[in-house]
Amino acid sequence: YMIWKEDEDEILSESKRYKFHLPAPKMPLPGHAESYNPPPEYLLSEEEKQSYDDMDPEERPHNFIPKSHTCLRHVGGYGNFLKERFERCLDLYL
């Protein structure tokens, strides 16, 4: 409860400043191709891998090649993690 008038003015001006805050868009959820054990239709054959490597990086449907692992412990670290986060920050900033 506001007892003094001057405190109320400061609090109201502070809350008005954040009134038009737009939150950053959320990252899309991972799909079936990003699973550690994706369905066989998402795994690429040798010909598809070759054509995937020949494509321009901006035209590729995914920025990774789906691989199948027997368990989650066998999944290695994602090499492009920092690059993707940096590009996301640039997109949000610019």
Side-chain angles (χ1 to χ4, degrees):
Y1 302 106
M2 293 295 145
I3 300 174
W4 295 278
K5 184 71 172 161
E6 61 239 14
D7 291 340
E8 183 179 343
D9 292 338
E10 290 177 17
I11 292 173
L12 286 176
S13 65
E14 187 75 21
S15 65
K16 287 179 185 176
R17 184 172 71 174
Y18 297 111
K19 184 177 181 181
F20 298 107
H21 172 70
L22 293 175
K26 297 187 181 214
M27 294 283 293
L29 295 174
H32 294 293
E34 295 181 73
S35 171
Y36 74 92
N37 191 11
E41 60 263 16
Y42 288 101
L43 297 175
L44 302 177
S45 66
E46 292 299 324
E47 297 168 356
E48 291 172 332
K49 284 182 186 177
Q50 184 64 31
S51 65
Y52 185 84
D53 290 336
D54 294 339
M55 292 173 75
D56 190 35
E58 295 177 357
E59 296 177 0
R60 294 177 181 166
H62 307 289
N63 54 359
F64 61 92
I65 296 177
K67 296 178 185 174
S68 182
H69 301 279
T70 56
C71 64
L72 192 55
R73 290 188 322 224
H74 296 158
V75 177
Y78 183 55
N80 293 335
F81 178 75
L82 289 177
K83 181 181 176 188
E84 283 185 6
R85 294 297 176 185
F86 178 72
E87 289 175 356
R88 176 170 164 73
C89 290
L90 280 180
D91 289 343
L92 292 174
Y93 180 71
L94 301 176

